[in-house]
Amino acid sequence: MQGEPAQSPGNPQAQQQPPQRQQTPKGLGWLLEPAAAGEIGVYISGVEGAKEFTPEMRQRLEELMQRLQQEMQAVVSARKCGALGICGGNHQTCPFLSECTTNTVDCPQLTKCTGNT
Amino acid sequence: MKESRYNVWVERGDAAYVFNGVSGALLRVAKTDYDAVRRYLAEGRGSCEPEVLAHLAAGLMLIPDDADELAFLGRRYAAGRHDLSRFALTIVTSLGCNFDCPYCFEEKHPSILDDEVQRLVLQVLDDQLTRIRSFGVTWYGGEPLIGKKALLALSDAFIDRCKAAEVAYNAQIITNGYLLDEKTCVELRDRQVTQAQVTLDGPPETHNQMRPLANGKETFSRIITNLHHAVKYLQISIRMNLDMQNFASVEPLLQILADEGLVGKLSIYPGHIIGINTGASSPSTTYRRRCFTNPAFAQAELQFSELAANYGFPRRSLPAPSGAPCTAVRANELVVGSKGELYKCWESVGNQLETIGHIRDYQNLNGRLHKWLKYDPFADTECRSCVALPVCMGGCAQHAMDPLQHENRCGTFRHTYREQVLAFVEAADSSPAN
């Protein structure tokens, strides 16, 4: 075996094509848009000339959106975590997280921490 | 207001473009606006279009004077490392392989994942299901399709359990493609394996030298045959492992794939062959072909991408912002060997000196785990000052910790960021939509 795959599950942009630009009259415009607060950006590559999604593609997109929704919920929830709040938002100095790094992958401290969300 | 240290500016025609690694955004501004912004940032005076400044701020290209981007990235890395809402396993169903590639870094002890290890894997998943929202699997080897029986059985059990627990499930496979017949493709598709990475190292005369069967026979034609049906069921990504000797084979391979009618049906990208020598008896220990240095590979990748695009294969995008970049440094991810032994890094598979424990006792791992979960790219002065940090987050931890491979920890963006941004911009400008 040699190397990692081209596209990791957490990297939805990995194989994207340049999206269509949205330009103002002054030439100002995004080629890759940043996510606004509360949003995530997903770019979808396609076969050149294709005008619509196949049913299978639509289904995959639905699944992707559901998954993203679930994962984003986790991020949003973590911000509300009372334990994380103790360290002022700095995860590197948070006593819960720093203790976790010296433990196993199933660290009870961290489980407790995320369980407080 | 100050400029982000992670901006990459390029100019083309009457426009300037800025990519920011923290946001992953790419903005086009008129050259006159670009000049005004530069003047404003350098001299603290002059007038800029408010709309331009607003866009630059939205893309994190302009940030508050007291913003600490390194601290922000540190928090992003920690959040990715300690994300327990997602669980992921890389599972070696067979450490044995039907190929005998001279550059392979694995020390193989042929064995198939047996029923007892399968039972233990499911036990671990059951432990996790109460608190995770998604579960991801990478089927890995050796050659994972040699262990197809275990792969299919585990997949069925994973899907059932995740469905019952309302946990999202996804899977991909890294395979040499030789056993990827149509029946297998259907079986994989039905088990929610959506992506497959298959390696071709050149046209037949090159590929068959670099990736022969264990008995020395050729593999190219059968893989090509398999790709024709595989693309109907799976997203196929072709990896071409490159060194200085097979680089001339890039275009002949692209030509063959084009002649086979595979353009638009799969993607292709280059892999960097690295002469890993861990002291173990893996084939790569005696690999005598000439490997690219990291900067030279970055240049080779640019040429590869241009050639592939000329043949109609999709361009890879600019790198996306990253958290903790791989299984090795994410707390809730593991690599499971075929005998149930556990590792953190894909490159460790088969190396007994790198096992971190056994799946039967996965909550009691040994001290080798610490080096992965304590690895800190922000302690590396080069990483701290590198424009690529937001998209690579230190790159390969395995290589970073090895004095002989330290330079190979980096992705290519470090060396060719301007060229990559410019190539993306040129592709966008020349796309029919524009």
Side-chain angles (χ1 to χ4, degrees), chain B residues 340-405:
Chain B
E341 77 279 17
L342 299 176
Y343 311 89
K344 280 301 285 176
C345 174
W346 290 14
E347 286 192 8
S348 304
V349 169
N351 185 348
Q352 298 305 307
L353 296 176
E354 290 289 342
T355 57
I356 58 166
H358 194 276
I359 197 157
R360 80 171 72 87
D361 195 15
Y362 92 109
Q363 294 186 343
N364 184 26
L365 301 174
N366 66 36
R368 292 188 191 123
L369 175 67
H370 294 179
K371 75 171 182 181
W372 300 105
L373 296 187
K374 285 187 169 174
Y375 167 69
D376 178 13
F378 296 90
D380 184 318
T381 51
E382 276 187 330
C383 291
R384 288 177 68 85
S385 61
C386 181
V387 71
L389 182 62
V391 298
C392 83
M393 288 295 197
C396 174
Q398 167 90 288
H399 295 163
M401 289 187 276
D402 179 350
L404 299 178
Q405 296 294 341

Side-chain angles (χ1 to χ4, degrees), chain B residues 141-160:
Chain B
E143 168 49 42
L145 290 178
I146 290 177
K148 187 171 80 169
K149 190 178 163 199
L151 186 161
L152 298 179
L154 272 178
S155 293
D156 288 338
F158 289 160
I159 291 166
D160 287 347

Side-chain angles (χ1 to χ4, degrees), chain B residues 194-229:
Chain B
T194 55
Q195 298 174 44
Q197 177 193 291
V198 176
T199 302
L200 288 170
D201 283 351
E205 60 274 19
T206 307
H207 173 89
N208 291 332
Q209 275 187 8
M210 294 178 74
R211 299 183 66 80
L213 282 173
N215 64 12
K217 291 190 175 170
E218 70 104 14
T219 59
F220 186 88
S221 57
R222 183 154 161 183
I223 296 171
I224 292 290
T225 300
N226 285 342
L227 287 177
H228 280 285
H229 50 251

Side-chain angles (χ1 to χ4, degrees), chain A residues 1 27 29 31-32 89 104-106, chain B residues 26 28 75 105 131 142 331 363:
Chain A
M1 304 300 301
L31 279 77
L32 295 172
T104 68
V105 291
D106 195 34
Chain B
L26 176 61
R28 180 189 194 276
R75 291 195 296 274
F105 53 77
R131 61 170 174 267
Q363 294 186 343

Side-chain angles (χ1 to χ4, degrees), chain B residues 28-293:
Chain B
R28 180 189 194 276
V29 298
K31 186 70 169 45
T32 48
D33 289 327
Y34 168 64
D35 291 338
V37 169
R38 294 243 68 88
R39 212 165 31 244
Y40 173 76
L41 289 171
E43 301 165 13
R45 58 188 174 82
S47 63
C48 298
E49 287 283 345
E51 200 180 350
V52 174
L53 292 178
H55 274 69
L56 289 167
L60 304 183
M61 294 133 184
L62 290 180
I63 53 177
D65 284 331
D66 61 351
D68 184 343
E69 289 179 294
L70 271 175
F72 174 79
L73 292 177
R75 291 195 296 274
R76 181 182 274 179
Y77 186 89
R81 166 172 279 179
H82 298 293
D83 178 8
L84 293 193
S85 69
R86 181 174 188 275
F87 181 49
L89 293 176
T90 298
I91 302 176
V92 178
T93 55
S94 164
L95 186 53
C97 186
N98 48 345
F99 281 26
D100 186 18
C101 311
Y103 56 78
C104 184
F105 53 77
E106 287 182 352
E107 187 180 5
K108 299 187 186 73
H109 314 280
S111 59
I112 303 280
L113 196 96
D114 64 20
D115 291 347
E116 173 61 7
V117 176
Q118 288 178 50
R119 187 184 67 77
L120 293 168
V121 169
L122 293 174
Q123 204 170 301
V124 170
L125 177 61
D126 288 341
D127 281 351
Q128 293 275 335
L129 280 173
T130 55
R131 61 170 174 267
I132 60 175
R133 291 184 173 87
S134 70
F135 174 45
V137 170
T138 300
W139 300 107
Y140 194 61
E143 168 49 42
L145 290 178
I146 290 177
K148 187 171 80 169
K149 190 178 163 199
L151 186 161
L152 298 179
L154 272 178
S155 293
D156 288 338
F158 289 160
I159 291 166
D160 287 347
R161 280 169 158 78
C162 287
K163 191 175 177 187
E166 297 184 329
V167 164
Y169 174 71
N170 66 81
Q172 60 180 348
I173 187 168
I174 315 294
T175 171
N176 58 39
Y178 194 79
L179 300 173
L180 205 55
D181 54 48
E182 186 153 14
K183 177 171 175 282
T184 300
C185 290
V186 172
E187 289 169 331
L188 292 174
R189 190 270 317 268
D190 291 347
R191 267 74 175 191
Q192 298 186 24
V193 177
T194 55
Q195 298 174 44
Q197 177 193 291
V198 176
T199 302
L200 288 170
D201 283 351
E205 60 274 19
T206 307
H207 173 89
N208 291 332
Q209 275 187 8
M210 294 178 74
R211 299 183 66 80
L213 282 173
N215 64 12
K217 291 190 175 170
E218 70 104 14
T219 59
F220 186 88
S221 57
R222 183 154 161 183
I223 296 171
I224 292 290
T225 300
N226 285 342
L227 287 177
H228 280 285
H229 50 251
V231 295
K232 292 189 284 187
Y233 304 100
L234 304 162
Q235 293 171 42
I236 301 291
S237 177
I238 300 293
R239 177 183 173 109
M240 181 178 180
N241 289 320
L242 289 182
D243 60 21
M244 285 190 261
Q245 288 192 16
N246 77 332
F247 185 68
S249 300
V250 172
E251 192 154 10
L253 175 62
L254 294 170
Q255 184 66 60
I256 289 171
L257 294 173
D259 292 345
E260 293 285 336
L262 292 167
V263 173
K265 297 178 179 173
L266 48 74
S267 59
I268 184 166
Y269 77 104
H272 185 190
I273 296 178
I274 292 169
I276 295 168
N277 185 350
T278 59
S281 58
S282 61
S284 65
T285 305
T286 54
Y287 190 60
R288 293 284 178 257
R289 292 165 74 103
R290 294 167 63 196
C291 298
F292 281 116
T293 62

